[in-house]
Amino acid sequence: MILLRFSRTRRRRLGVAAAAGGMLAALLAAGPAAAIPDPGDSPAPSKEVSRSDQAEAREAIENGEIPGQDEIVHSDNIRHVANVPKDALPGTNSDLAFQGRYAYAGNYDGFRIFDISDPKSPKTVAQVLCPGSQNDISVSGNLLFLSTDSSRSDSSCNSTTQPATEKSSWEGMKVFDISDKRNPRYVAAVETACGSHTHTLVPERRNVYIYVSSYSPNAAYPDCQPPHDGISVIKVPRHAPHKAAVVGFPVLFPGEGPDGGGNPGAPTNPGVSKTTGCHDITVLPSEDLAAGACMGDGILFSIKDPERPKVIDRVQDNVNFAFWHSATFNQRANKVVFTDELGGGSGATCNAAIGPNRGADGIYDLVGKGDKRKLVFRSYFKIPRHQADTENCVAHNGSLIPVRGKDLMVQAWYQGGVSVWDFTDSSKPKEIAYFERGPLTTDRIVTGGSWSAYYYNGYIYSNDIAKGLDVLKIDDRRTDPARWVHLHELNVQTQPDYFD
């Protein structure tokens, strides 16, 4: 570690616990959700579940309705080809990025670099200790970027947790030089308002722009004051990354008063998160477009001028969406998939009581041209396999599988596993493959499962919060053409033009 100063058929679960209706009400009344854990540097604590839920989970396993604890199951068209457990970094595994023969895996304690030249046998190249949730990660050229969204005593990799009420606390972006993959070098830190929960790169030849998403301001936080209805824009000169600096804070939800102009949340919209910033942004540089998942709002904006993004359209779903979490364009840029992270990633929402429309994906068509384009809702997608009430499960991070003329996506669902689905028909999405493990426990909810599942150069890579890096191979005539598409670099939130 670098220190810086059996396959089987899965049957649909039919049982519904008596307390499930109460759990739904609790999830919808819980207020703003956040990717686990926020704030802080530790995973969400385990939560007891009712005795009836415990008994139902055990009965479902005995009856073969769900897999046993840690048992791996998958559809016939997916193979599990590798797993690399956690090693020197024991924290929560988070996002992934790719470059050539390397995969970069975020972890709340730092990040790990894998050599994936042989996807069936990934090798650890480096493990860098640099604590600070949630260590969202991306790469561009010789630079690696890491988000810090917890208050730290300073910007160093030796920092300790410190209250956000302390003016001296630090949160923001860290920049590393990865010219030498075995010895990444920390070169810059940029503090941003309310830290950096996630970030998105807009790369140019000479500079890399970073859109920093953060939220949940508080009048008691000196560096995170309300309203906070925008994003921080950082400019990083490639040949002088130490000069990285914030160059703007475009307000995406202008409005009068201390609460700004985003979704007001409860009590106006019960069960919906109040918009106080964005959770995640995906850019499509080839089309000068971006889609923002911003707590209570979904937005579409132009990035023709990367320092001054312009909002084109804005939508809300105050019936079924609790927390707009992430976004994915299709290849033709005429659809956007938004995810709803109901329960903040720590709730059991993949059951019959919650139903198919909450904690799901929302599929929107893009209608019109240029700056007059509108987001038009078409349907929801949620995995059709019910999970135990001891499994945290909800829509999370995924990527396109590049096949011409088709809209295919692989996606993480925490303990719901990895799903491959088809949304070519926006109104009739369907799952075509899956991989998952049985519950981590049958007596409580323990945070685990796939945080991110992405397709890269012929394989699916999943960063499992508790179990480490999984590598999957899908063999299906619908996805086979993607094998011919090879990328040199992939940051999923900076979507490439796969066929350029």
Side-chain angles (χ1 to χ4, degrees), residues 289 298-301 311-315 329 333-336 338 363-378:
L289 279 178
I299 61 173
L300 180 72
F301 51 100
V311 175
I312 296 172
D313 194 27
R314 168 183 166 192
V315 290
F329 289 97
N334 60 5
K335 298 176 188 176
V336 181
F338 289 102
I363 305 166
Y364 287 74
D365 283 353
L366 274 176
V367 179
K369 295 183 179 180
D371 289 355
K372 296 187 181 298
R373 281 173 282 196
K374 298 291 183 182
L375 290 159
V376 179
F377 174 77
R378 294 302 185 207

Side-chain angles (χ1 to χ4, degrees), residues 179-199:
S179 303
D180 181 352
K181 303 295 187 291
R182 295 187 178 278
N183 293 286
R185 185 168 56 90
Y186 187 10
V187 296
V190 182
E191 187 170 15
T192 55
C194 299
S196 174
H197 196 71
T198 66
H199 69 270

Side-chain angles (χ1 to χ4, degrees), residues 285-498:
S286 62
E287 299 289 336
D288 291 325
L289 279 178
C294 304
M295 304 182 73
D297 295 86
I299 61 173
L300 180 72
F301 51 100
S302 167
I303 57 169
K304 290 179 181 178
D305 182 346
E307 292 189 22
R308 298 171 182 82
K310 173 187 174 184
V311 175
I312 296 172
D313 194 27
R314 168 183 166 192
V315 290
Q316 296 179 354
D317 180 347
N318 295 319
V319 175
N320 288 316
F321 260 47
F323 187 86
W324 296 67
H325 175 275
S326 53
T328 303
F329 289 97
N330 69 335
Q331 178 61 34
R332 294 175 59 195
N334 60 5
K335 298 176 188 176
V336 181
V337 173
F338 289 102
T339 66
D340 170 29
E341 197 185 35
L342 171 68
S346 60
T349 76
C350 296
N351 54 36
I354 301 298
N357 298 337
R358 295 186 174 98
D361 297 317
I363 305 166
Y364 287 74
D365 283 353
L366 274 176
V367 179
K369 295 183 179 180
D371 289 355
K372 296 187 181 298
R373 281 173 282 196
K374 298 291 183 182
L375 290 159
V376 179
F377 174 77
R378 294 302 185 207
S379 67
Y380 298 105
F381 170 76
K382 192 171 184 180
I383 56 173
R385 293 158 287 107
H386 290 165
Q387 308 295 306
D389 287 334
T390 60
E391 295 179 274
N392 62 304
C393 176
V394 75
H396 213 234
N397 297 337
S399 77
L400 293 183
I401 298 178
V403 175
R404 287 186 185 273
K406 297 289 185 180
D407 295 324
L408 305 175
M409 187 171 174
V410 58
Q411 187 175 359
W413 291 78
Y414 291 113
Q415 287 195 67
V418 176
S419 176
V420 179
W421 59 290
D422 184 336
F423 63 105
T424 306
D425 183 339
S426 302
S427 299
K428 296 180 179 179
K430 58 183 180 181
E431 184 177 77
I432 62 174
Y434 70 88
F435 165 89
E436 68 164 292
R437 291 179 171 88
L440 288 172
T441 68
T442 57
D443 60 354
R444 62 181 63 231
I445 295 180
V446 177
T447 298
S450 179
W451 178 290
S452 298
Y454 300 145
Y455 184 92
Y456 178 70
N457 293 352
Y459 290 83
I460 293 168
Y461 296 86
S462 166
N463 209 19
D464 188 288
I465 290 170
K467 299 298 183 181
L469 182 73
D470 287 309
V471 186
L472 312 175
K473 180 72 171 176
I474 182 166
D475 295 300
D476 190 288
R477 59 178 177 79
R478 292 163 288 192
T479 61
D480 285 348
R483 297 176 181 176
W484 303 105
V485 179
H486 279 256
L487 302 176
H488 174 65
E489 192 170 271
L490 178 63
N491 300 294
V492 168
Q493 288 74 33
T494 306
Q495 282 191 222
D497 183 342
Y498 288 96

